[in-house]
Amino acid sequence: MRIAGLVFGLLGGFLGVLAGLLALGIGGLGAAFSAEGTGMILGGGLGAIVIAACGLVGAVLALSRPGTSAVLQILAALAGLIAVSLFWIPSALLFALGALAAVLSRRGHASHQPRD
């Protein structure tokens, strides 16, 4: 299950970077036509790229520290929804699946320890 957490987290991170770049492109296009509120869209796009990077770090930690991985991926899923809303839905779902897989692998690992 740890590998599933890694894979889901990596896919969510890469889609999150694409969502951030898409938001930056839309914000830049709006700025080119002097639309109002483009600064907020550009800030959300930059924030989404940073959040995706944090989620990618969480995905990489799935193999060695599944608890920390799950927390980082859930935070990335929620923060990305705040930053770029609808663009982030696929990433949020993948980060949530990655976090769930990491938590389930953590629980399964603890039950396999030998008893004294």
Side-chain angles (χ1 to χ4, degrees):
M1 291 296 274
R2 290 182 185 196
I3 293 176
L6 172 71
V7 171
F8 284 133
L10 288 176
L11 289 173
F14 290 132
L15 286 178
V17 169
L18 289 176
L21 291 174
L22 182 62
L24 285 174
I26 290 173
L29 190 61
F33 288 109
S34 301
E36 290 188 28
T38 57
M40 190 171 181
I41 296 172
L42 289 170
L46 287 174
I49 292 173
V50 171
I51 293 165
C54 291
L56 283 169
V57 169
V60 172
L61 288 174
L63 297 177
S64 61
R65 298 188 177 271
T68 305
S69 170
V71 170
L72 283 174
Q73 288 187 55
I74 286 294
L75 288 176
L78 296 176
L81 285 173
I82 293 170
V84 289
S85 4
L86 291 177
F87 293 139
W88 196 264
I89 289 176
S91 295
L93 291 175
L94 287 168
F95 278 137
L97 286 173
L100 180 66
V103 165
L104 291 178
S105 72
R106 183 171 184 241
R107 287 189 179 157
H109 179 67
S111 65
H112 293 309
Q113 292 179 351
R115 294 182 181 181
D116 291 329

